[in-house]
Amino acid sequence: LVIWGANAYVSDEDVNILKGVRDVKKWSARMREPMGKVYGAERFAEIWNEWVDAILNIHEKRKGDLCMKEIPEIRARTFILHGKKDPMLAKEHVPYLKQHLQGFKYHEFPDGKHNIHLRYAEEYNKLIANFLLEK
């Protein structure tokens, strides 16, 4: 299992982060354009709003629980990759995952944000490939 930008629950801080980035027209062109190329600008805005609504709904109706009960049950070797400066993820999530996952490996990109898979693509992919090849 390989994860990045991950959380087991939706916190109040996550809700505030998402509300702050709901309107994709306010995003920088550098962040918005790649998604527009894949989905089309209008469809991406719709998909993003649907996703934000779904997360807000989980926060409200499930008390934020995405998979808190399931995390300790994961038996697969897990690789957590994290951008230390990720503005899309409340700081509490990585320590929570590290506390509740068994047998994990952790790599932090000190200057990384939410797009470590793009900004550090070569290193990111090499780390994952090495992890997947480990026995």
Side-chain angles (χ1 to χ4, degrees):
L1 175 63
V2 177
I3 59 176
W4 97 97
N7 48 321
Y9 58 91
V10 181
S11 70
D12 292 342
E13 183 179 351
D14 294 315
V15 167
N16 290 332
I17 291 168
L18 287 174
K19 286 180 177 178
V21 296
R22 179 187 278 276
D23 185 355
V24 299
K25 291 176 185 166
K26 293 180 181 176
W27 293 17
S28 70
R30 183 176 59 84
M31 296 304 293
R32 184 181 58 246
E33 286 174 0
M35 301 304 253
K37 286 180 182 175
V38 173
Y39 301 104
E42 188 175 309
R43 182 64 185 130
F44 171 60
E46 292 170 0
I47 291 169
W48 180 254
N49 269 294
E50 290 167 3
W51 186 82
V52 169
D53 287 342
I55 297 299
L56 296 178
N57 189 46
I58 289 168
H59 182 262
E60 180 184 330
K61 301 228 164 97
R62 295 185 56 183
K63 298 181 182 163
D65 187 358
L66 291 167
C67 59
M68 292 172 68
K69 295 175 193 96
E70 292 80 6
I71 292 285
E73 297 175 16
I74 294 173
R75 298 292 178 255
R77 289 182 318 115
T78 303
F79 192 11
I80 304 169
L81 297 114
H82 177 59
K84 186 166 178 98
K85 297 179 180 178
D86 188 341
M88 296 294 295
L89 191 68
K91 305 259 183 274
E92 66 197 68
H93 292 301
V94 170
Y96 180 90
L97 292 170
K98 289 167 78 173
Q99 181 180 350
H100 292 89
L101 279 168
Q102 301 174 32
F104 68 87
K105 180 176 181 177
Y106 178 76
H107 181 84
E108 184 173 273
F109 293 84
D111 291 320
K113 296 183 181 177
H114 198 63
N115 62 344
I116 58 175
H117 60 299
L118 300 173
R119 183 171 178 201
Y120 304 100
E122 188 174 331
E123 179 183 4
Y124 179 89
N125 289 325
K126 185 176 181 179
L127 287 164
I128 292 171
N130 289 340
F131 173 78
L132 294 173
L133 292 171
E134 290 173 4
K135 294 186 179 192

